[in-house]
Amino acid sequence: MNPAPKRRRPSAEPPPKGLLSVLVGNTPAARGELAGLLSRHHPEAITLSVSVQADATGPYPVVQRLTATGSSSAGHMAHVSSGATGDPSVILRQDLIALRRARKDVHIVLTLPQEVDVLPFLLDLWRSRIGADSLDDHYDSAPVLAAIDPAVLLRDVTDVRRTRRLWGDSGWSEPLTAAEAAVRQIEAVDTLVLAARDDSPARGGAVTLVRHLNTRAHVTTLRQPPTNSEALAGRRSPVLVREVWAGSLEPVTLLPSAPNTHPAVSSLVWRARRPLHPARLAEALGDVMLGVLRSRGHLWFANRPDSVVQWRSAGPHLDVREADRWLEESDTQAWKAASAQRRTLADWLWDDYYGERRNEIRFTGPGIDAERITRALDGALATDAELSLGPAAWSGWADPLFSRTEPDR
């Protein structure tokens, strides 16, 4: 007689992961309003508010955290930490893992201050470290949210007099203009919520501007909150989200196409395959930058054939610098180190003669003159006669842009 088959026990399902929302904003008041909106939609969520202040005695900042629960932070304060000096990503990772161990299905709203460079910081926060728990094991990622005061945004995007340092990937950034800091925050997020009355004079211009600065973001107002919960707290794979973040920070990336032209704000994407003559580009800057509020992209100069030249402007300030090296077909290590997005892009756009090398800049501003900008940039490209001279001749070309930006050695 055959024994009865043993019944298999159902495999235990893994405990649900927590959910990590990230909230930033261009003013504390706007950030607080959006935090209140999230609390009303998700009263079970825990808000972890953070401040990051430079410490004059050392390289690491002082990190203060406030933990609150319920729909009203003022009435449900749970804990205010003592200030800790150290790497904010390490401190916050420990806090987040401790909160999740205390409650498996926890939803955390991590509210970051303006002193943080959003994407580099989040990549560092989620990065796995040897001998330490990974956030991947504890949390799924929710959309990154920004609360924007329209009047402050329209002021900041042209402000190149004030400078700020932001904490990013385990260190303070070099000084950035207020304009650069403002547009970086807009470009980093998934959902933009404007904290303004519907009849605010700044609201219409700000809505148009942010739609051009970040074409993929869901844009709404606090008076008309997202009806789709995915825009506020949809679950996403941390691995896939990090790939998107890393790709957007690559010096070589595919810039989004311009949205529909608007009378107040318009955008242009300029692309070209052959190299630029640096002196003619410098001469053309007056025509190129007139009316530009934001531009970013990558170039290759004939006299720097191995270097990816990063182009970035906010307001009237332009920054041009060597940021990376072009991928070469035989450089296996460089291909492995590049993001998945850049490798895919290089495969798609590879040229038998130029390889990965190409120029691409995206311009945004009020009344962009696409014809004038295109004509000026096309005129700065190396001609057939100049290309025929070869790299030995190109290396001797004057390079006025870099003589202005490179420090004395």
Side-chain angles (χ1 to χ4, degrees), residues 49-67:
S49 299
V50 183
S51 71
V52 176
Q53 300 296 329
D55 183 354
T57 63
Y60 289 109
V62 177
V63 184
Q64 185 82 35
R65 291 97 70 211
L66 180 150
T67 309

Side-chain angles (χ1 to χ4, degrees), residues 212 215 255-259 267-269 294-296 361-364:
H212 277 263
T215 59
L255 299 172
S257 298
S267 295
L268 159 73
V269 180
R294 174 59 162 171
S295 64
R296 63 190 181 100
I361 312 176
R362 188 176 191 274
F363 298 90
T364 295

Side-chain angles (χ1 to χ4, degrees), residues 362-384:
R362 188 176 191 274
F363 298 90
T364 295
I368 288 285
D369 187 334
E371 183 178 348
R372 185 194 68 238
I373 294 174
T374 300
R375 182 172 60 249
L377 289 171
D378 287 349
L381 294 170
T383 64
D384 290 342

Side-chain angles (χ1 to χ4, degrees), residues 2-34:
N2 294 327
K6 293 182 179 180
R7 298 179 63 185
R8 293 183 179 179
R9 293 182 180 179
S11 58
E13 292 186 3
K17 285 187 179 183
L19 183 63
L20 180 57
S21 297
V22 176
L23 191 159
V24 297
N26 66 345
T27 68
R31 203 163 54 238
E33 282 195 74
L34 181 52

Side-chain angles (χ1 to χ4, degrees), residues 61-251:
V62 177
V63 184
Q64 185 82 35
R65 291 97 70 211
L66 180 150
T67 309
T69 59
S71 59
S72 172
S73 296
H76 297 79
M77 187 179 297
H79 177 66
V80 178
S81 73
S82 57
T85 300
D87 187 331
S89 65
V90 174
I91 294 169
L92 292 178
R93 188 183 303 105
Q94 293 170 344
D95 288 349
L96 291 167
I97 292 174
L99 288 167
R100 201 262 170 164
R101 284 174 174 163
R103 201 175 94 193
K104 296 300 181 184
D105 60 346
V106 68
H107 179 189
I108 303 295
V109 178
L110 177 61
T111 305
L112 297 175
Q114 288 174 265
E115 290 76 19
V116 166
D117 196 357
V118 180
L119 288 190
F121 179 78
L122 291 180
L123 277 170
D124 196 38
L125 180 68
W126 282 92
R127 184 177 295 124
S128 298
R129 284 168 167 77
I130 297 174
D133 277 8
S134 168
L135 283 186
D136 286 25
D137 299 329
H138 296 273
Y139 289 95
D140 286 326
S141 175
V144 180
L145 314 172
I148 301 300
D149 182 314
V152 173
L153 172 65
L154 295 179
R155 179 201 69 194
D156 286 349
V157 292
T158 58
D159 187 350
V160 296
R161 294 186 177 183
R162 290 182 299 133
T163 61
R164 297 168 54 192
R165 288 180 181 268
L166 305 181
W167 185 272
D169 185 0
S170 299
W172 292 106
S173 71
E174 61 187 15
L176 303 173
T177 65
E180 178 67 29
V183 295
R184 281 194 189 190
Q185 186 177 84
I186 296 294
E187 291 166 350
V189 303
D190 304 298
T191 299
L192 283 153
V193 182
L194 297 176
R197 301 185 309 274
D198 290 344
D199 59 350
S200 166
R203 178 182 172 276
V207 168
T208 303
L209 177 60
V210 298
R211 289 190 190 280
H212 277 263
L213 292 175
N214 188 337
T215 59
R216 62 179 177 79
H218 182 94
V219 181
T220 185
T221 69
L222 282 170
R223 304 299 179 263
Q224 297 176 322
T227 55
N228 180 1
S229 62
E230 288 293 310
L232 286 178
R235 286 184 179 267
R236 303 179 302 171
S237 161
V239 175
L240 297 179
V241 169
R242 285 201 303 276
E243 287 184 2
V244 173
W245 292 341
S248 66
L249 292 175
E250 284 270 21

Side-chain angles (χ1 to χ4, degrees), residues 294-344:
R294 174 59 162 171
S295 64
R296 63 190 181 100
H298 56 269
L299 307 171
W300 78 288
F301 288 1
N303 62 322
R304 297 172 183 261
D306 298 325
S307 298
V308 177
V309 176
Q310 185 179 59
W311 169 294
R312 191 186 293 268
S313 76
H317 178 78
L318 172 64
D319 182 65
V320 179
R321 64 181 61 202
E322 289 184 324
D324 204 343
R325 298 182 72 79
W326 296 106
L327 295 175
E328 300 293 350
E329 201 166 9
S330 59
D331 192 345
T332 305
Q333 290 302 115
W335 282 83
K336 288 181 179 179
S339 70
Q341 176 178 292
R342 181 173 176 185
R343 293 194 301 268
T344 302

